[in-house]
Amino acid sequence: MKILFIGDIFGEKGKEAIKNELPILKQQNNIDIVIANAENCTKGRSLSLADYKLLCSYGVDYFTFGNHTYYLEEIKEVLKNKNTIRPLNLKLESPYYSWGNGTITFTYNNKNIRITNLLGSTVYCHDIQTNPFIELEKLLSIDNSDIHVIDFHTETTSEKNAFLQHFAGKVSAILGTHTHIQSADERIYKNTAYITDTGMTGPSEGVIGANPESIINMFRGQSPRFRLLEDTSKYQLNGIIIEFDNKTNEPINLKRIFIREK
């Protein structure tokens, strides 16, 4: 079995990359399941219902999210769909706790597959998240899936690496998202597929997908924060393909994907 996980889809160029490149990727690599992080899809923040339907039509099977999930009110409707996975570790008192599911299971080729989305402690999210380590420990105490894929959405490489060390051998894959910069450390460690960050699918020459101007102004001290405005440069598509052994369910091969628009 082969699962393709696509790094954060950002804006119009991200959707264009999915439309143009995903069918080719699926065919060339015999992909069974496509998972994509879509928290930055609609104008850099959240996922509209129209964009959700569009990405489904392009071939995305399952959607994960992150700290920008709740920027659009209509995400509440998007999260009613069974192929969407919002962050699991939300505080009970969070207004978003009842919206959607933070982990789902489904059957594919007689395999029980679970996808879980978690927010790290080092990502800013208005203090709505609980500790991801503790939440995953709770989940694993009742989990009986054959393959369990984690989207770990957080800021620091240290938290992602610590997460791997703690949960290696207990889940099938830990795939980092959020920084939009693809790391080159993909590996299989104690039967867990891992990459610190899968990267970003969107404008290739902006600053993590955004138009550079407001971000540069922030770093120069001219503004207290930046605006996440879409860049219009040529697209890139980032992701990783994980191949699992059909008998043991263990990951046996990783292929990092980095495609630039010609």
Side-chain angles (χ1 to χ4, degrees), residues 5-251:
F5 185 95
I6 298 172
D8 303 44
I9 301 172
F10 192 104
E12 294 300 316
K13 299 302 290 190
K15 287 179 284 184
E16 184 182 347
I18 297 295
K19 179 182 180 180
N20 293 345
E21 305 295 343
L22 182 56
I24 300 169
L25 267 175
K26 291 174 70 172
Q27 183 179 33
Q28 289 180 343
N29 295 279
N30 297 314
I31 300 299
D32 296 290
I33 298 167
V34 178
I35 308 168
N37 185 294
E39 68 131 12
N40 294 127
C41 185
T42 302
K43 297 182 180 179
R45 289 188 174 95
S46 194
L47 179 66
S48 69
L49 192 57
D51 282 345
Y52 162 77
K53 293 177 179 178
L54 190 68
L55 291 172
C56 285
S57 73
Y58 291 162
V60 177
D61 300 310
Y62 296 93
F63 298 83
T64 56
F65 295 92
N67 57 305
H68 288 127
T69 305
Y70 305 102
Y71 186 78
L72 296 177
E73 181 72 22
E74 63 186 290
I75 192 66
K76 186 175 183 179
E77 295 301 312
V78 173
L79 293 176
K80 290 179 180 179
N81 293 282
K82 294 181 179 180
N83 63 342
T84 61
I85 309 102
R86 53 86 169 159
L88 173 68
N89 56 320
L90 298 182
K91 290 181 178 179
L92 192 61
E93 62 270 24
S94 164
Y96 314 116
Y97 184 83
S98 63
W99 298 11
N101 297 292
T103 185
I104 66 165
T105 58
F106 59 95
T107 301
Y108 184 89
N109 282 355
N110 297 317
K111 303 290 185 183
N112 184 23
I113 299 172
R114 180 182 292 276
I115 304 171
T116 300
N117 191 188
L118 288 159
L119 286 170
S121 300
T122 58
V123 67
Y124 177 69
C125 197
H126 302 285
D127 195 34
I128 65 170
Q129 73 265 51
T130 59
N131 189 290
F133 286 78
I134 294 172
E135 291 299 330
L136 185 54
E137 287 169 356
K138 292 177 184 177
L139 177 61
L140 292 180
S141 70
I142 59 170
D143 179 50
N144 62 354
S145 59
D146 298 310
I147 294 173
H148 189 176
V149 177
I150 310 285
D151 176 348
F152 191 35
H153 194 85
T154 192
E155 189 77 38
T156 63
T157 56
S158 57
E159 187 176 16
K160 293 175 185 179
N161 276 259
F163 206 74
L164 170 66
Q165 291 297 327
H166 188 62
F167 291 109
K170 300 174 184 177
V171 297
S172 307
I174 297 171
L175 309 175
T177 57
H178 178 66
T179 73
H180 292 203
I181 304 297
Q182 188 182 75
S183 57
D185 62 339
E186 73 276 11
R187 62 192 185 277
I188 297 170
Y189 178 69
K190 296 182 179 179
N191 291 327
T192 295
Y194 175 80
I195 185 169
T196 296
D197 205 288
T198 52
M200 183 268 298
T201 297
S204 60
E205 300 301 336
V207 177
I208 63 171
N211 183 281
E213 184 177 359
S214 71
I215 298 177
I216 292 170
N217 287 342
M218 182 195 70
F219 283 122
R220 293 187 75 250
Q222 294 174 286
S223 65
R225 57 178 300 172
F226 63 81
R227 291 182 297 161
L228 210 59
L229 303 175
E230 293 181 52
D231 194 53
T232 58
S233 54
K234 291 185 177 181
Y235 67 67
Q236 66 181 41
L237 188 150
N238 287 178
I240 192 162
I241 297 171
I242 313 167
E243 183 179 1
F244 294 93
D245 187 284
N246 288 327
K247 292 183 179 180
T248 67
N249 300 322
E250 295 174 355

